[in-house]
Amino acid sequence: MNTAGHSKATAPRGLELTPFRGLRYDPDRVGSLAAVTSPPYDVVVRPDGLHHLQSADPHNIVRLILPEAATPEERNAQAAETLRRWRAEGVLTPDPEPGLYVYEQRDGDGLVQRGVIGALRVSEPDERLVLPHEDVMPHIVADRADLMRATSANLEPLLLTYRGDDTAAGTAGLIERTAGRPPLLATTTEDRVHHRLWPVTDPADLAVIREELSAHQALIADGHHRWATYRRLRAEHPSPSPWDHGLVLLVDTARYPLRVRAIHRLLHGLPVAEALKALGGIFRVRRLDPPLPKAMDALAEAAQESNAFLLTGDDGVFHLVDRPDPALLDRTVPADRPEAWRTLDATVLHTTLLDHVWRVPDDPAHIAYIHDTAATVDKARRDGGTAVLMHPVHEDVVRELARQGVTMPRKSTSFGPKPASGLVLRALDL
């Protein structure tokens, strides 16, 4: 019986992270744990990346989170059948008892991130417990909801953050002690990130986490569409039900600050020459020669003084675009929002450049959102579109806007490191 969502107790005032029986790969049934993992579904944006993961191991998690078939209905049915078969064959097996999971990621640059994976009670926006900072696209929410319904599973955790008190007590101390024990699993993925996972099943330890989180609210760092999907599915199923909870990783950024990176835009069908021509007299435009890292350094410097973007396309060079005309911003940026929102690069890009200057609709036929900088540049140069490279927003700005209930333009930020998909799943029938 699933332990999440079967209590009629009064909803707590804070976050409620519930133990669950994790569904995990049997290491003896797969080539390696690293070969069956994947980045989150929305990071695997290119077919070559998807096919690379599929070829890494026949049981790679992308066959569940990004199934390939002719129609959406066939894709979802295929994912459901694949999950059913893998469970029947023992490729994926449930842990013996419910628990939370301490999860660690460590890279070669010295970054260590630790957090707790569990089934979080899905709350309503007016509870102000889980704060979004970006808007979502309805068709993506509908797509994820269809997949979750078909599989009756949470296939990958979304990433939430909260701010602890930066002491070694409570949950932080428990995480540190747990990380000193032999892990349940350990693997190193292709990006050279080391992953380790430990179960937390002791009632006293679970009580420590439950009590601390009940005093906190969380910020969605990565997974806005999946959180919106959790809310949609919870509304569809009478409570109590397993859909009352959704799989998340919670990270205390007082102890483990996340990296915040930008998400870049690729404008299909807008050659960079046309994009630049439209900017005459309303932005300063300066040509920069390669290499890319040097151009990105120039973007970072310019972003300290004004809104700034780096454009490139099939011309093979970079164009630093900054210092927008203040009168143009006054005409195009809504005045009924906080100053921190009005001055965001993403706000100016969407409300001023895309809507008014370039007149590019914000839909998949016209804009692709890509996390990898070099991949964005390469695709623009091959396809003849315009790459718009962005500078990241500071986490404090994101959190403060979220607390004010103000959402940023979608795909404004990329928090990381993101949890690897495939290390632990949540099947709703366990």
Side-chain angles (χ1 to χ4, degrees):
M1 180 177 178
N2 193 300
T3 59
H6 289 274
S7 171
K8 279 188 173 290
T10 302
R13 295 180 62 86
L15 302 170
E16 177 194 352
L17 198 63
T18 302
F20 70 105
R21 288 182 68 192
L23 189 64
R24 297 188 298 106
Y25 283 99
D26 181 343
D28 295 331
R29 301 298 302 274
V30 298
S32 72
L33 288 176
V36 295
T37 64
S38 164
Y41 80 97
D42 57 339
V43 179
V44 186
V45 294
R46 294 180 295 165
D48 54 338
L50 177 61
H51 298 153
H52 171 73
L53 291 165
Q54 288 174 336
S55 63
D57 189 284
H59 299 107
N60 190 284
I61 191 69
V62 295
R63 298 183 187 275
L64 299 181
I65 62 175
L66 289 172
E68 287 196 302
T71 68
E73 293 77 17
E74 291 173 337
R75 288 197 296 270
N76 295 328
Q78 177 179 293
E81 171 56 24
T82 300
L83 178 58
R84 184 206 62 75
R85 186 176 71 254
W86 288 357
R87 292 180 66 178
E89 294 171 350
V91 173
L92 288 167
T93 59
D95 282 332
E97 60 181 318
L100 302 176
Y101 297 84
V102 169
Y103 174 46
E104 176 191 271
Q105 294 158 281
R106 184 186 297 268
D107 69 11
D109 297 327
L111 181 140
V112 178
Q113 176 175 290
R114 292 176 180 147
V116 181
I117 295 175
L120 185 70
R121 182 180 70 88
V122 179
S123 54
E124 292 303 313
D126 59 7
E127 295 182 69
R128 304 290 297 153
L129 292 180
V130 177
L131 306 177
H133 68 268
E134 292 181 355
D135 295 325
V136 297
M137 297 188 71
H139 77 276
I140 297 179
V141 176
D143 174 74
R144 290 293 102 182
D146 288 343
L147 178 64
M148 287 189 205
R149 283 192 209 95
T151 58
S152 192
N154 300 150
L155 299 172
E156 49 184 347
L158 53 86
L159 175 60
L160 304 182
T161 71
Y162 70 100
R163 299 286 293 180
D165 58 10
D166 199 20
T167 70
T171 300
L174 187 154
I175 288 174
E176 299 304 312
R177 293 192 301 275
T178 301
R181 304 199 306 256
L184 182 67
L185 68 82
T187 191
T188 301
T189 45
E190 190 177 50
D191 56 4
R192 299 187 298 280
V193 175
H194 307 287
H195 306 261
R196 296 197 294 171
L197 194 76
W198 297 263
V200 179
T201 57
D202 182 85
D205 291 340
L206 296 173
V208 168
I209 296 172
R210 181 173 61 249
E211 181 177 357
E212 179 168 334
L213 291 180
S214 68
H216 287 281
Q217 60 182 186
L219 174 73
I220 301 176
D222 185 69
H224 284 80
H225 289 92
R226 281 167 285 168
W227 181 254
T229 300
Y230 290 167
R231 289 187 49 237
R232 173 179 292 194
L233 294 171
R234 181 196 184 195
E236 292 176 1
H237 296 81
S239 186
S241 85
W243 298 101
D244 290 345
H245 293 72
L247 187 63
V248 306
L249 166 65
L250 268 168
V251 173
D252 175 4
T253 52
R255 290 187 67 82
Y256 299 105
L258 270 64
R259 289 174 174 163
V260 186
R261 292 189 170 97
I263 301 178
H264 309 297
R265 276 68 167 159
L266 176 63
L267 310 183
H268 306 302
L270 179 65
V272 69
E274 289 185 22
L276 293 168
K277 183 178 179 181
L279 299 179
I282 55 175
F283 278 80
R284 182 174 68 168
V285 179
R286 290 175 286 166
R287 174 178 167 144
L288 303 175
D289 292 320
L292 175 58
K294 184 176 179 180
M296 292 301 291
D297 287 343
L299 173 63
E301 183 177 349
Q304 304 305 312
E305 299 182 7
S306 76
N307 299 113
F309 313 94
L310 195 64
L311 273 56
T312 191
D314 58 7
D315 59 357
V317 297
F318 298 101
H319 308 272
L320 183 59
V321 175
D322 65 351
R323 297 189 184 178
D325 177 7
L328 173 68
L329 299 184
D330 289 342
R331 290 196 309 272
T332 57
V333 178
D336 60 346
R337 302 287 185 90
E339 181 69 11
W341 181 90
R342 298 183 77 249
T343 56
L344 288 170
D345 288 339
T347 297
V348 172
L349 173 62
H350 282 261
T351 64
T352 302
L353 287 172
L354 295 177
D355 290 351
H356 292 271
V357 177
W358 292 328
R359 300 191 181 279
V360 175
D362 189 1
D363 60 51
H366 295 88
I367 303 178
Y369 292 83
I370 305 178
H371 293 73
D372 185 86
T373 308
T376 312
V377 172
D378 290 343
K379 191 161 182 60
R381 290 181 178 171
R382 287 199 313 267
D383 300 349
T386 295
V388 182
L389 307 181
M390 309 282 287
H391 183 68
V393 182
H394 196 278
E395 181 190 352
D396 290 344
V397 175
V398 177
R399 188 176 297 276
E400 182 54 36
L401 286 171
R403 284 176 175 158
Q404 295 179 48
V406 178
T407 54
M408 301 164 62
R410 67 186 186 87
K411 300 296 184 183
S412 293
T413 60
S414 175
F415 284 89
K418 304 176 191 302
S421 299
L423 296 180
V424 61
L425 291 66
R426 175 178 174 251
L428 273 65
D429 61 351
L430 291 174

